[in-house]
Amino acid sequence: MKVLVIGGGGREHALCLALSADPGVTELHCAPGNAGIAALATLHPVNATDPTAVADLADALDADLVVIGPEGPLVAGAADAVRLRGIACFGPSAAAAVLEGSKAFAKEVMAYAEVPTAMARVCDDLDEVAAALDAFGPPYVVKDDGLAAGKGVVVTEDREAALAHAKACSGRVVIEEFLDGPEVSVFALTDGQTVRALLPAQDFKRVGDGDAGPNTGGMGAYCPLPWAPADLLEQVTARVLEPTIAEMRRRGTPFAGLLYAGLAMTSRGMRVIEFNARFGDPETQVVLALLRNPLGALLEAAAIGQLDKVEPLNWREGSAVTVVVAAPNYPGPPVTGGAIGGLDEANAAPGVQVIHAGTALDGAGAVVSSGGRVLCVTATGADLAEARSRVYTGVAAVTLDGSHHRTDIALAAERGEVIIPGAS
Ligand code: AMP
Ligand code: GLY
């Protein structure tokens, strides 16, 4: 099977690593890719948010399967364009990707499907925002309705800051009740009918240790979650994933691809924070590190409506941890073009795999930074303690001037300090 992956971040490097390990994948292409993916796949330039350009590339390569990584191309209709050419595509239609593209739409679907989520008000002007803020009270949760690369949400005790964010949003604003409790990312493969949930992971959204500073796209992740209830995946499947998939089908816009449920484990039970229409980044790096099934066969089955026919998911023992090495000034406009060293040394450390996120090759063939999140140093181990210790050995080996990373990824979980409020 000839596979084309669209995207060029850490998630796509992780997807390419898993796809290249699948004996059924005989040829791997990626567009636009990055310096790490270049070692596994043939890279092609593409304007990924131009559906015709994506479909033309898939056609020219005579691809058997296209896997679309980021939300931008999905919301723009890249999966539709590829399927119109008769090529199998892993990724939802533009109509189904609205589940991620509009928070207000996601709320509506959840209301119909009776999926537990935060109470929310969709506001069209600042007076409505002010009234909603006062109705819910602090901490205030203010969300841009549309796509904002993980930066559209502000959670604050400061009413002025909440109003200021609402003012800065591009259009409609969603104000929500604050959800307490640890967050969980659950990814599910679906063909629009059958749902297969992957192991749960936890992401670290804030830039600094101890969850200090602004939100980012994600600074690290680990999988699985030793503190999660044993029936978490069963609960999420029955109460969140299946009803949502059924509601999307009922609306005539079936969702096939990867449904990502971002959940809060609150004192009043599980609540959906958000849906995404694609694999999470950097959680994919740790989830796929533990998956044993050949990934190409799974994604193809989801793409062609045959997910019920694939064998059950099968997982490696142990844990995986990933730590993002970010460029200077990230999550602000990052300083790029910095020389990256120590990659071979990091990759040689036991259990460590350096996944590239924002990297490129310069004119001389050296690896340089090209984005905010530069590398996702990833490690597996017998347990979280071993995976953590290995991942930070890898991080220490990498050099990039002025880079920063969190030192506490998976630390609370390793120490048994992650608590679901109200749980005994
Ligand atoms: P989102 O883009 O919806 O995933 O939100 C980004 C982050 O903001 C989430 O991962 C949470 O950490 C936080 N967040 C979003 N909604 C809420 C909420 N209702 N209560 C508390 N935190 C939230
Ligand atoms: N790690 C969060 C996301 O992919 O949206």
Side-chain angles (χ1 to χ4, degrees):
M1 178 167 53
K2 202 187 278 187
V3 181
L4 167 63
V5 174
I6 301 296
R11 163 186 48 217
E12 287 76 24
H13 192 185
L15 287 166
C16 285
L17 279 165
L19 287 167
S20 64
D22 177 344
V25 176
T26 48
E27 217 179 291
L28 190 58
H29 297 265
C30 185
N34 62 35
I37 298 172
L40 304 166
T42 310
L43 303 192
H44 307 270
V46 75
N47 176 2
T49 51
D50 175 354
T52 306
V54 172
D56 284 348
L57 178 61
D59 247 344
L61 293 171
D62 197 18
D64 300 300
L65 175 69
V66 177
V67 176
I68 300 183
E71 61 275 19
L74 293 168
V75 169
D80 308 77
V82 169
R83 278 192 282 267
L84 271 176
R85 307 283 176 97
I87 299 171
C89 185
F90 182 81
S93 65
V98 180
L99 211 43
E100 169 164 2
S102 165
K103 291 181 191 290
F105 175 77
K107 284 288 178 196
E108 184 189 310
V109 168
M110 284 190 270
Y112 275 96
E114 296 183 17
V115 169
T117 184
M119 287 186 293
R121 283 198 202 168
V122 180
C123 304
D124 287 308
D125 62 47
L126 283 178
D127 289 340
E128 286 179 30
V129 167
L133 291 176
D134 295 335
F136 289 124
Y140 302 106
V141 181
V142 182
K143 302 189 174 187
D144 196 321
D145 180 51
L147 290 182
K151 295 173 201 161
V153 179
V154 161
V155 180
T156 176
E157 296 278 345
D158 180 346
R159 191 172 178 282
E160 287 309 309
L163 276 171
H165 181 60
K167 213 170 181 172
C169 285
S170 41
R172 281 198 296 186
V173 176
V174 179
I175 306 294
E176 283 193 2
E177 80 178 302
F178 176 78
L179 299 174
D180 60 351
E183 286 178 40
V184 175
S185 301
V186 174
F187 302 160
L189 301 170
T190 177
D191 57 8
Q193 186 91 35
T194 301
V195 174
R196 295 273 174 93
L198 309 186
L199 283 185
Q202 191 175 41
D203 177 22
F204 292 75
K205 291 248 166 70
R206 301 274 181 162
V207 71
D209 280 2
D211 291 333
N215 269 331
T216 68
M219 291 299 288
Y222 66 98
C223 169
L225 310 176
W227 51 270
D231 65 349
L232 175 72
L233 286 184
E234 240 169 88
Q235 290 280 336
V236 176
T237 302
R239 296 178 56 204
V240 175
L241 302 170
E242 284 176 343
T244 301
I245 293 300
E247 173 62 17
M248 292 300 284
R249 220 172 36 238
R250 191 189 69 75
R251 288 172 177 247
T253 51
F255 186 102
L258 194 292
L259 180 60
Y260 164 147
L263 306 161
M265 308 299 288
T266 80
S267 47
R268 291 176 297 131
M270 182 176 74
R271 298 279 186 279
V272 173
I273 294 179
E274 62 161 350
F275 283 128
N276 292 315
R278 38 113 194 138
F279 280 98
D281 193 345
E283 299 97 307
T284 300
Q285 286 79 315
V286 286
V287 173
L288 294 184
L290 297 177
L291 179 70
R292 281 191 206 269
N293 305 60
L295 185 67
L298 279 178
L299 300 186
E300 184 190 32
I304 62 174
Q306 304 207 339
L307 200 55
D308 57 332
K309 302 204 174 62
V310 300
E311 56 193 70
L313 298 181
N314 183 358
W315 299 97
R316 291 192 174 87
E317 296 289 314
S319 297
V321 178
T322 190
V323 174
V324 170
V325 176
N329 202 45
Y330 179 78
V335 178
T336 58
I340 300 168
L343 292 172
D344 290 342
E345 197 187 336
N347 274 320
V352 174
Q353 167 82 57
V354 179
I355 292 178
H356 290 230
T359 69
L361 296 171
D362 71 6
V367 180
V368 297
S369 62
S370 64
R373 294 189 291 178
V374 180
L375 301 170
C376 303
V377 181
T378 307
T380 53
D383 53 22
L384 265 186
E386 187 176 57
R388 273 196 91 243
S389 142
R390 287 174 162 184
V391 83
Y392 281 109
T393 302
V395 170
V398 166
T399 56
L400 168 63
D401 262 1
S403 69
H404 60 97
H405 63 270
R406 282 184 64 157
T407 67
D408 63 348
I409 302 300
L411 180 60
E414 181 194 324
R415 290 181 173 161
E417 290 171 356
V418 182
I419 307 292
I420 299 173
S424 50

